[in-house]
Amino acid sequence: RSFTSQTDGEARVTRVLREKFPRASAIKVVDISGGCGAMYEIHIESEEFREKRTVQQHQMVNQALSEEIKSMHGLRIFTSTPKP
């Protein structure tokens, strides 16, 4: 598959994250399970994470994806704040 087209799962997770993190400047979701939707790697850069510890940022992402996570085997989360 080409790098520009997302799987249905990637598109769904991205959509949820865009809703939950409207101030995100970058969201990247990659299915790292070979396309079966069992494991994802997520990179989010958002102003909402400022002043929060990494564990709190990851909890926010887990909370946002609580429904989607039920059908996943694993999730790698990378969070950051936009550079000033």
Coordinates of all heavy atoms in Angstrom, one line a residue:
R1 N 0.8 -1.2 0.0 CA 0.0 0.0 0.0 C 0.9 1.2 0.0 O 2.0 1.2 0.5 CB -1.0 0.0 1.2 CG -0.4 0.4 2.5 CD -1.5 0.3 3.6 NE -1.4 1.4 4.5 CZ -0.8 1.3 5.7 NH1 -0.3 0.2 6.1 NH2 -0.8 2.4 6.4
S2 N 0.4 2.3 -0.5 CA 1.2 3.5 -0.6 C 1.2 4.2 0.8 O 0.4 3.9 1.6 CB 0.6 4.5 -1.6 OG -0.6 5.0 -1.1
F3 N 2.2 5.0 0.9 CA 2.4 5.7 2.2 C 1.3 6.8 2.5 O 1.1 7.2 3.6 CB 3.8 6.3 2.3 CG 4.9 5.3 2.4 CD1 5.7 5.0 1.4 CD2 5.0 4.5 3.6 CE1 6.7 4.1 1.5 CE2 6.0 3.6 3.7 CZ 6.9 3.3 2.7
T4 N 0.7 7.2 1.4 CA -0.3 8.3 1.6 C -1.6 7.8 2.0 O -2.4 8.6 2.6 CB -0.4 9.2 0.3 OG1 -0.7 8.3 -0.8 CG2 0.9 9.9 0.0
S5 N -2.0 6.6 1.7 CA -3.3 6.1 2.0 C -3.3 5.5 3.4 O -2.5 4.7 3.7 CB -3.8 5.2 1.0 OG -3.1 4.0 1.0
Q6 N -4.3 5.8 4.2 CA -4.4 5.3 5.5 C -5.3 4.0 5.5 O -6.2 3.9 4.7 CB -5.1 6.3 6.5 CG -4.2 7.4 6.9 CD -4.9 8.2 8.0 OE1 -6.0 8.6 7.8 NE2 -4.2 8.4 9.1
T7 N -5.1 3.1 6.4 CA -6.0 2.0 6.5 C -7.3 2.5 7.2 O -7.3 3.6 7.8 CB -5.4 0.9 7.4 OG1 -5.3 1.4 8.8 CG2 -4.1 0.3 6.9
D8 N -8.4 1.8 7.2 CA -9.6 2.2 7.9 C -9.4 2.5 9.3 O -9.9 3.5 9.9 CB -10.7 1.2 7.7 CG -11.2 1.1 6.3 OD1 -10.9 2.0 5.5 OD2 -11.9 0.1 6.0
G9 N -8.6 1.6 10.0 CA -8.3 1.8 11.4 C -7.5 3.0 11.7 O -7.8 3.8 12.6
E10 N -6.5 3.3 10.8 CA -5.7 4.5 11.0 C -6.6 5.8 10.9 O -6.5 6.7 11.7 CB -4.6 4.6 10.0 CG -3.5 3.6 10.2 CD -2.5 3.4 9.1 OE1 -2.8 3.9 7.9 OE2 -1.4 2.9 9.3
A11 N -7.5 5.7 9.9 CA -8.3 6.9 9.6 C -9.3 7.1 10.8 O -9.5 8.2 11.2 CB -9.1 6.7 8.3
R12 N -9.8 6.0 11.3 CA -10.8 6.1 12.5 C -10.1 6.6 13.7 O -10.6 7.5 14.4 CB -11.4 4.7 12.8 CG -12.5 4.7 13.8 CD -13.1 3.3 14.0 NE -12.1 2.3 14.5 CZ -11.6 1.3 13.8 NH1 -12.0 1.1 12.6 NH2 -10.7 0.5 14.3
V13 N -8.9 6.1 14.0 CA -8.2 6.6 15.2 C -7.8 8.0 15.0 O -7.9 8.8 16.0 CB -6.9 5.7 15.5 CG1 -6.0 6.3 16.5 CG2 -7.3 4.3 15.8
T14 N -7.3 8.4 13.8 CA -7.0 9.8 13.6 C -8.2 10.7 13.8 O -8.1 11.8 14.4 CB -6.4 10.0 12.1 OG1 -5.3 9.1 12.0 CG2 -6.0 11.4 11.8
R15 N -9.3 10.3 13.3 CA -10.6 11.1 13.4 C -10.9 11.3 14.9 O -11.2 12.4 15.3 CB -11.7 10.4 12.7 CG -12.7 11.3 12.1 CD -13.8 10.6 11.2 NE -14.0 9.2 11.4 CZ -13.7 8.2 10.6 NH1 -13.0 8.4 9.5 NH2 -14.0 6.9 11.0
V16 N -10.8 10.3 15.7 CA -11.1 10.4 17.1 C -10.2 11.4 17.8 O -10.6 12.2 18.5 CB -11.1 9.0 17.8 CG1 -11.2 9.2 19.3 CG2 -12.2 8.1 17.3
L17 N -8.9 11.2 17.4 CA -7.9 12.1 18.0 C -8.1 13.6 17.6 O -7.9 14.5 18.4 CB -6.5 11.6 17.7 CG -6.1 10.3 18.3 CD1 -4.8 9.8 17.7 CD2 -6.0 10.4 19.8
R18 N -8.5 13.8 16.4 CA -8.7 15.2 15.9 C -9.9 15.8 16.7 O -9.8 17.0 17.0 CB -9.0 15.2 14.4 CG -7.8 15.0 13.6 CD -7.6 16.0 12.5 NE -6.4 15.7 11.8 CZ -5.2 16.2 12.1 NH1 -5.0 17.0 13.2 NH2 -4.1 15.9 11.4
E19 N -10.9 15.0 17.0 CA -12.0 15.5 17.8 C -11.6 15.8 19.2 O -12.0 16.8 19.7 CB -13.1 14.4 17.8 CG -14.0 14.4 16.6 CD -15.0 13.2 16.7 OE1 -15.4 12.8 17.8 OE2 -15.3 12.7 15.6
K20 N -10.9 14.9 19.8 CA -10.5 15.0 21.2 C -9.4 16.1 21.5 O -9.3 16.6 22.6 CB -10.1 13.7 21.8 CG -11.1 12.6 21.6 CD -12.2 12.7 22.6 CE -13.1 11.5 22.5 NZ -14.2 11.5 23.3
F21 N -8.6 16.3 20.5 CA -7.4 17.2 20.6 C -7.5 18.3 19.5 O -6.7 18.2 18.5 CB -6.1 16.5 20.5 CG -5.9 15.5 21.7 CD1 -6.1 14.1 21.5 CD2 -5.5 15.9 22.9 CE1 -6.0 13.2 22.5 CE2 -5.3 15.0 24.0 CZ -5.6 13.7 23.8
P22 N -8.5 19.2 19.6 CA -8.7 20.1 18.5 C -7.5 21.1 18.3 O -7.4 21.7 17.2 CB -10.0 20.9 18.9 CG -10.1 20.6 20.4 CD -9.5 19.3 20.6
R23 N -6.7 21.2 19.3 CA -5.6 22.1 19.2 C -4.3 21.4 18.7 O -3.2 22.0 18.7 CB -5.3 22.8 20.5 CG -6.5 23.7 20.9 CD -6.4 24.2 22.4 NE -5.2 25.0 22.7 CZ -4.8 25.2 23.9 NH1 -5.4 24.7 24.9 NH2 -3.7 25.9 24.1
A24 N -4.4 20.2 18.4 CA -3.2 19.4 17.9 C -2.7 20.0 16.6 O -3.4 20.3 15.7 CB -3.6 18.0 17.7
S25 N -1.4 20.2 16.6 CA -0.7 20.7 15.4 C -0.3 19.6 14.5 O 0.0 19.8 13.3 CB 0.4 21.7 15.8 OG 1.3 21.1 16.7
A26 N -0.1 18.4 15.1 CA 0.3 17.3 14.2 C -0.3 16.0 14.9 O -0.2 15.8 16.1 CB 1.8 17.2 14.1
I27 N -0.9 15.1 14.0 CA -1.3 13.8 14.5 C -0.9 12.8 13.4 O -1.2 13.0 12.2 CB -2.9 13.8 14.7 CG1 -3.3 14.7 15.8 CG2 -3.3 12.3 14.9 CD1 -4.8 14.7 16.1
K28 N -0.2 11.8 13.9 CA 0.2 10.7 12.9 C -0.2 9.4 13.5 O 0.2 9.1 14.7 CB 1.7 10.8 12.6 CG 2.2 9.8 11.6 CD 3.7 10.0 11.4 CE 4.2 8.8 10.7 NZ 5.7 8.6 10.9
V29 N -0.9 8.6 12.8 CA -1.3 7.3 13.3 C -0.8 6.2 12.3 O -1.1 6.3 11.1 CB -2.9 7.2 13.5 CG1 -3.3 5.8 13.9 CG2 -3.4 8.2 14.4
V30 N -0.1 5.2 12.8 CA 0.5 4.2 11.9 C 0.1 2.8 12.4 O 0.3 2.5 13.6 CB 2.0 4.3 11.8 CG1 2.5 3.2 10.8 CG2 2.4 5.7 11.3
D31 N -0.5 2.0 11.6 CA -0.8 0.6 12.0 C 0.4 -0.2 11.9 O 1.0 -0.4 10.8 CB -1.9 0.1 11.0 CG -2.4 -1.3 11.4 OD1 -1.6 -2.0 12.1 OD2 -3.5 -1.7 11.0
I32 N 1.0 -0.6 13.0 CA 2.3 -1.3 13.0 C 2.1 -2.8 13.1 O 3.0 -3.6 13.4 CB 3.2 -0.8 14.1 CG1 2.6 -0.8 15.4 CG2 3.8 0.6 13.7 CD1 3.5 -0.4 16.6
S33 N 0.8 -3.2 12.9 CA 0.5 -4.7 12.9 C 0.4 -5.3 11.5 O -0.1 -6.4 11.4 CB -0.8 -4.9 13.7 OG -1.9 -4.3 13.0
G34 N 0.8 -4.5 10.5 CA 0.8 -5.1 9.2 C -0.6 -4.9 8.5 O -0.9 -5.5 7.6
G35 N -1.4 -4.0 9.1 CA -2.7 -3.6 8.5 C -3.9 -4.3 9.1 O -5.0 -4.1 8.7
C36 N -3.7 -5.1 10.1 CA -4.8 -5.8 10.7 C -5.5 -5.0 11.9 O -6.5 -5.4 12.4 CB -4.5 -7.2 11.2 SG -3.4 -7.3 12.7
G37 N -4.9 -3.9 12.2 CA -5.5 -3.0 13.2 C -5.3 -3.4 14.7 O -6.0 -3.0 15.5
A38 N -4.4 -4.3 14.9 CA -4.2 -4.8 16.3 C -3.2 -3.9 17.1 O -3.3 -3.9 18.3 CB -3.6 -6.2 16.3
M39 N -2.4 -3.2 16.4 CA -1.4 -2.4 17.1 C -1.1 -1.1 16.3 O -0.9 -1.1 15.1 CB -0.1 -3.2 17.3 CG 0.9 -2.5 18.3 SD 2.0 -3.7 18.9 CE 3.0 -2.6 19.9
Y40 N -1.1 0.0 17.1 CA -0.8 1.3 16.4 C 0.3 2.1 17.1 O 0.5 1.9 18.3 CB -2.1 2.2 16.5 CG -3.2 1.7 15.7 CD1 -4.2 0.8 16.2 CD2 -3.3 2.0 14.3 CE1 -5.2 0.3 15.4 CE2 -4.3 1.5 13.5 CZ -5.3 0.7 14.0 OH -6.3 0.2 13.3
E41 N 0.9 2.9 16.3 CA 1.9 3.9 16.9 C 1.3 5.2 16.6 O 0.9 5.5 15.5 CB 3.2 3.7 16.1 CG 4.3 4.6 16.7 CD 5.7 4.3 16.1 OE1 6.2 3.2 16.4 OE2 6.2 5.1 15.4
I42 N 1.2 6.1 17.6 CA 0.5 7.4 17.5 C 1.5 8.5 18.0 O 2.2 8.3 19.0 CB -0.7 7.4 18.5 CG1 -1.7 6.4 18.0 CG2 -1.3 8.8 18.6 CD1 -2.9 6.2 18.9
H43 N 1.6 9.5 17.1 CA 2.4 10.7 17.4 C 1.5 11.8 17.5 O 0.8 12.1 16.5 CB 3.5 10.9 16.4 CG 4.5 9.8 16.3 ND1 5.7 9.9 16.9 CD2 4.5 8.6 15.7 CE1 6.4 8.8 16.6 NE2 5.7 8.0 15.9
I44 N 1.4 12.6 18.6 CA 0.6 13.7 18.7 C 1.4 14.9 19.2 O 2.1 14.8 20.2 CB -0.6 13.5 19.6 CG1 -1.5 12.3 19.2 CG2 -1.5 14.8 19.6 CD1 -2.6 12.1 20.1
E45 N 1.3 16.0 18.5 CA 1.9 17.3 19.0 C 0.7 18.2 19.3 O 0.0 18.5 18.4 CB 2.8 17.8 18.0 CG 3.5 19.1 18.4 CD 4.4 19.7 17.3 OE1 5.6 19.3 17.3 OE2 3.9 20.5 16.5
S46 N 0.6 18.6 20.5 CA -0.6 19.4 20.9 C -0.3 20.4 22.0 O 0.4 20.0 23.0 CB -1.8 18.5 21.2 OG -2.9 19.3 21.6
E47 N -0.9 21.5 21.9 CA -0.8 22.5 23.0 C -1.5 22.0 24.2 O -1.1 22.4 25.3 CB -1.5 23.8 22.4 CG -1.2 25.1 23.1 CD 0.3 25.4 23.2 OE1 1.0 25.4 22.1 OE2 0.8 25.6 24.3
E48 N -2.4 21.1 24.1 CA -3.1 20.6 25.3 C -2.2 19.9 26.3 O -2.5 19.7 27.4 CB -4.2 19.6 24.9 CG -5.5 20.3 24.4 CD -5.8 20.0 23.0 OE1 -4.9 19.9 22.1 OE2 -7.0 19.9 22.7
F49 N -1.0 19.4 25.8 CA -0.1 18.7 26.6 C 0.9 19.6 27.4 O 1.6 19.1 28.3 CB 0.8 17.7 25.7 CG 0.0 16.7 25.0 CD1 0.3 16.4 23.7 CD2 -1.1 16.0 25.7 CE1 -0.5 15.4 23.0 CE2 -1.8 15.1 25.0 CZ -1.5 14.7 23.7
R50 N 0.9 20.9 27.1 CA 1.8 21.8 27.8 C 1.5 21.7 29.3 O 0.4 21.6 29.7 CB 1.6 23.2 27.3 CG 2.8 24.1 27.6 CD 3.0 25.3 26.9 NE 3.0 25.3 25.4 CZ 4.1 24.9 24.7 NH1 5.1 24.4 25.3 NH2 4.0 25.0 23.4
E51 N 2.6 21.8 30.1 CA 2.6 21.8 31.6 C 2.1 20.4 32.1 O 1.8 20.4 33.3 CB 1.6 22.9 32.1 CG 1.9 24.3 31.6 CD 3.2 24.8 32.1 OE1 3.6 24.6 33.3 OE2 3.9 25.5 31.3
K52 N 2.1 19.4 31.3 CA 1.7 18.1 31.8 C 2.8 17.1 31.7 O 3.6 17.2 30.7 CB 0.5 17.5 31.0 CG -0.8 18.4 31.3 CD -2.0 17.6 30.8 CE -3.3 18.3 31.2 NZ -3.4 19.7 31.2
R53 N 2.9 16.2 32.6 CA 4.0 15.2 32.6 C 3.6 14.2 31.5 O 2.5 14.0 31.1 CB 4.1 14.5 33.9 CG 4.6 15.4 35.1 CD 5.0 14.7 36.4 NE 4.2 13.5 36.7 CZ 3.1 13.5 37.4 NH1 2.6 14.6 37.9 NH2 2.5 12.4 37.6
T54 N 4.7 13.5 31.0 CA 4.5 12.5 29.9 C 3.4 11.5 30.3 O 2.5 11.2 29.5 CB 5.8 11.8 29.6 OG1 6.8 12.7 29.3 CG2 5.6 10.8 28.5
V55 N 3.4 11.0 31.5 CA 2.4 10.0 31.9 C 1.0 10.6 31.8 O 0.0 9.9 31.4 CB 2.7 9.4 33.3 CG1 2.5 10.4 34.4 CG2 1.9 8.2 33.5
Q56 N 0.8 11.9 32.2 CA -0.5 12.5 32.1 C -0.9 12.7 30.6 O -2.1 12.5 30.3 CB -0.5 13.9 32.7 CG -0.3 13.8 34.3 CD 0.0 15.2 34.9 OE1 0.8 15.9 34.4 NE2 -0.8 15.5 35.9
Q57 N 0.1 13.0 29.8 CA -0.2 13.2 28.3 C -0.7 11.8 27.7 O -1.7 11.8 27.0 CB 1.0 13.6 27.6 CG 1.5 15.0 28.0 CD 2.9 15.4 27.4 OE1 3.4 14.7 26.5 NE2 3.4 16.4 27.8
H58 N 0.0 10.8 28.1 CA -0.4 9.4 27.6 C -1.8 9.0 28.1 O -2.5 8.4 27.4 CB 0.7 8.4 27.9 CG 1.9 8.6 27.2 ND1 2.9 7.7 27.0 CD2 2.4 9.7 26.5 CE1 3.9 8.1 26.3 NE2 3.6 9.4 26.0
Q59 N -2.1 9.4 29.4 CA -3.4 9.1 30.0 C -4.5 9.8 29.2 O -5.6 9.2 28.9 CB -3.4 9.5 31.4 CG -2.7 8.5 32.3 CD -2.5 9.0 33.7 OE1 -2.6 10.2 34.0 NE2 -2.2 8.1 34.7
M60 N -4.2 11.0 28.8 CA -5.2 11.8 28.0 C -5.5 11.1 26.6 O -6.6 11.0 26.2 CB -4.7 13.2 27.7 CG -4.6 14.1 28.9 SD -3.6 15.6 28.6 CE -4.7 16.5 27.4
V61 N -4.4 10.5 26.0 CA -4.6 9.8 24.7 C -5.3 8.5 25.0 O -6.3 8.2 24.2 CB -3.2 9.6 24.1 CG1 -3.4 8.7 22.8 CG2 -2.5 10.9 23.7
N62 N -5.0 7.8 26.0 CA -5.7 6.6 26.3 C -7.1 6.8 26.6 O -8.0 6.1 26.1 CB -5.0 5.9 27.5 CG -3.8 5.1 27.2 OD1 -3.8 4.4 26.2 ND2 -2.7 5.2 27.9
Q63 N -7.4 7.9 27.3 CA -8.8 8.3 27.6 C -9.6 8.6 26.3 O -10.7 8.1 26.1 CB -8.8 9.5 28.6 CG -10.2 9.9 29.0 CD -10.7 9.0 30.1 OE1 -10.0 8.6 31.0 NE2 -12.0 8.7 30.0
A64 N -9.0 9.3 25.5 CA -9.6 9.7 24.2 C -9.9 8.5 23.3 O -10.9 8.5 22.6 CB -8.7 10.7 23.4
L65 N -9.1 7.5 23.4 CA -9.2 6.3 22.6 C -9.8 5.1 23.4 O -9.6 4.0 22.9 CB -7.9 5.9 22.0 CG -7.3 6.9 21.0 CD1 -5.8 6.4 20.6 CD2 -8.1 7.0 19.8
S66 N -10.5 5.4 24.5 CA -10.9 4.3 25.3 C -11.7 3.2 24.6 O -11.6 2.0 24.8 CB -11.7 4.8 26.6 OG -12.8 5.6 26.1
E67 N -12.6 3.6 23.7 CA -13.4 2.6 22.9 C -12.6 1.9 21.9 O -12.7 0.7 21.8 CB -14.6 3.4 22.2 CG -15.8 3.6 23.1 CD -16.3 2.4 23.8 OE1 -16.6 1.4 23.1 OE2 -16.4 2.4 25.0
E68 N -11.7 2.6 21.2 CA -10.9 2.0 20.2 C -9.9 1.0 20.7 O -9.6 0.0 20.1 CB -10.2 3.0 19.3 CG -11.0 3.9 18.4 CD -12.0 4.8 19.2 OE1 -11.7 5.2 20.3 OE2 -13.0 5.2 18.5
I69 N -9.4 1.3 21.9 CA -8.3 0.5 22.6 C -8.9 -0.9 22.9 O -8.1 -1.9 22.8 CB -7.8 1.2 23.8 CG1 -6.9 2.3 23.4 CG2 -7.1 0.2 24.7 CD1 -6.4 3.2 24.6
K70 N -10.2 -1.0 23.1 CA -10.7 -2.4 23.4 C -10.4 -3.4 22.4 O -10.3 -4.6 22.7 CB -12.2 -2.2 23.7 CG -12.6 -1.4 24.9 CD -14.1 -1.2 25.0 CE -14.4 -0.4 26.2 NZ -15.8 0.0 26.3
S71 N -10.3 -3.0 21.1 CA -10.1 -4.0 20.1 C -8.6 -4.0 19.6 O -8.3 -4.7 18.7 CB -11.0 -3.7 18.9 OG -10.6 -2.4 18.3
M72 N -7.7 -3.4 20.4 CA -6.3 -3.4 20.0 C -5.5 -4.3 20.9 O -5.9 -4.6 22.1 CB -5.7 -2.0 20.2 CG -6.2 -0.9 19.2 SD -5.4 0.7 19.6 CE -6.5 1.8 18.7
H73 N -4.4 -4.7 20.5 CA -3.5 -5.5 21.3 C -2.4 -4.6 21.9 O -1.8 -5.0 22.9 CB -2.8 -6.6 20.5 CG -3.7 -7.7 20.0 ND1 -4.4 -8.5 20.9 CD2 -4.1 -8.0 18.8 CE1 -5.2 -9.3 20.2 NE2 -5.0 -9.0 18.9
G74 N -2.1 -3.6 21.2 CA -1.0 -2.7 21.7 C -1.1 -1.3 21.1 O -1.7 -1.1 20.1
L75 N -0.4 -0.4 21.8 CA -0.5 1.0 21.4 C 0.8 1.7 21.9 O 1.2 1.5 23.0 CB -1.7 1.7 22.1 CG -2.0 3.1 21.7 CD1 -2.4 3.2 20.3 CD2 -3.2 3.6 22.6
R76 N 1.5 2.3 20.9 CA 2.7 3.1 21.2 C 2.3 4.5 21.1 O 1.9 4.9 20.1 CB 3.8 2.8 20.3 CG 4.6 1.5 20.6 CD 5.9 1.5 19.8 NE 6.1 0.2 19.3 CZ 6.8 -0.1 18.2 NH1 7.2 0.8 17.4 NH2 7.0 -1.4 17.9
I77 N 2.6 5.3 22.2 CA 2.2 6.7 22.2 C 3.4 7.6 22.3 O 4.2 7.4 23.2 CB 1.2 7.0 23.3 CG1 -0.1 6.1 23.2 CG2 0.8 8.5 23.4 CD1 -1.0 6.2 24.4
F78 N 3.5 8.6 21.4 CA 4.5 9.6 21.5 C 3.8 10.9 21.5 O 3.1 11.3 20.6 CB 5.5 9.5 20.3 CG 6.2 8.2 20.2 CD1 5.6 7.1 19.5 CD2 7.4 8.0 20.9 CE1 6.2 5.9 19.5 CE2 8.0 6.7 20.8 CZ 7.4 5.7 20.1
T79 N 4.0 11.7 22.6 CA 3.4 13.0 22.7 C 4.4 14.1 22.8 O 5.5 13.9 23.3 CB 2.5 13.1 23.9 OG1 3.2 12.7 25.1 CG2 1.2 12.2 23.8
S80 N 4.1 15.3 22.3 CA 5.0 16.4 22.5 C 4.1 17.7 22.4 O 3.0 17.7 22.0 CB 6.0 16.4 21.3 OG 5.4 16.5 20.1
T81 N 4.8 18.8 22.8 CA 4.1 20.1 22.6 C 4.8 20.9 21.5 O 6.0 20.7 21.2 CB 4.2 21.0 23.9 OG1 5.6 21.0 24.3 CG2 3.4 20.4 25.0
P82 N 4.1 21.8 20.8 CA 4.7 22.5 19.7 C 5.8 23.4 20.3 O 5.7 23.9 21.4 CB 3.6 23.4 19.2 CG 2.3 22.8 19.7 CD 2.7 22.1 21.0
K83 N 6.9 23.5 19.5 CA 8.0 24.3 19.9 C 7.6 25.8 19.8 O 7.0 26.2 18.8 CB 9.3 24.1 19.0 CG 9.7 22.6 19.0 CD 10.4 22.2 20.4 CE 10.8 20.8 20.4 NZ 9.8 19.8 20.9
P84 N 8.0 26.6 20.8 CA 7.6 28.1 20.7 C 8.2 28.8 19.5 O 9.2 28.4 18.9 CB 8.1 28.6 22.0 CG 8.9 27.6 22.7 CD 8.7 26.3 22.0

